[in-house]
Amino acid sequence: MNLFTKVGRVMSIVIRKYSINDLEEMTKIWNYVVREGKYFPQENGLSIKKAAAFFEEQTFTGVAEEDGEIVGLYILHPNNIGRCGHIANASYAVKADQRGKHIGEKLVMHSLERAKESGFRIMQFNAVVANNKGAISLYKKLGFKELGIIPRGFKMDDGSFMDIVPFYLELV
């Protein structure tokens, strides 16, 4: 468990399976990242009803909680079907005012454990936007291998295009 100091108190980040009570805050965090237009491929946010279905259909949806507040989340699911169904994919979102506290790293580590427990053999990220230096640095630190660059593979919110970098990590 990571510990952080906040106004003289020790705070802990706990990663756990989400509950329906978390849905409103999870949806706000998810939609904020979508609206940023920098990291997620989705162009439209989720209503609470659509978010409930979306988060429920994942192999696992986890939340990062600090002192009763949801500060981040992740989704874990197969990257593909059938003969490629052993490859997992995940997406991570951290509340904007909580970034820089290593919450993303804790989410990634939890997702790797959960992926192994779910029978996945590989974690693959299809579209890490090249300007997401924090994520790229973290993935390399954790041993992910870069698969190359897809030029102009991500359309930014302003209409420009950015390279994407696929990554993978063998889990077995």
Side-chain angles (χ1 to χ4, degrees), residues 24 48 67 81 83 86 98 108 116 122 128 143 158 169:
E24 186 175 338
I48 292 289
D67 202 28
I81 60 169
R83 297 179 193 277
H86 62 284
Q98 299 294 313
V108 172
K116 282 185 205 178
I122 298 169
V128 180
D158 66 4
L169 178 71

Side-chain angles (χ1 to χ4, degrees), residues 98-152:
Q98 299 294 313
R99 293 175 184 168
K101 294 171 61 175
H102 302 280
I103 296 167
E105 181 173 0
K106 195 159 182 80
L107 290 167
V108 172
M109 295 300 296
H110 193 272
S111 74
L112 295 175
E113 291 171 19
R114 194 52 73 156
K116 282 185 205 178
E117 291 170 6
S118 298
F120 292 109
R121 299 174 57 86
I122 298 169
M123 177 69 80
Q124 179 176 319
F125 302 139
N126 302 322
V128 180
V129 183
N131 67 350
N132 193 345
K133 302 298 185 196
I136 290 171
S137 175
L138 173 59
Y139 301 152
K140 287 180 178 180
K141 172 184 161 187
L142 296 177
F144 280 81
K145 294 181 178 75
E146 187 177 317
L147 290 169
I149 300 218
I150 300 171
R152 297 168 306 284

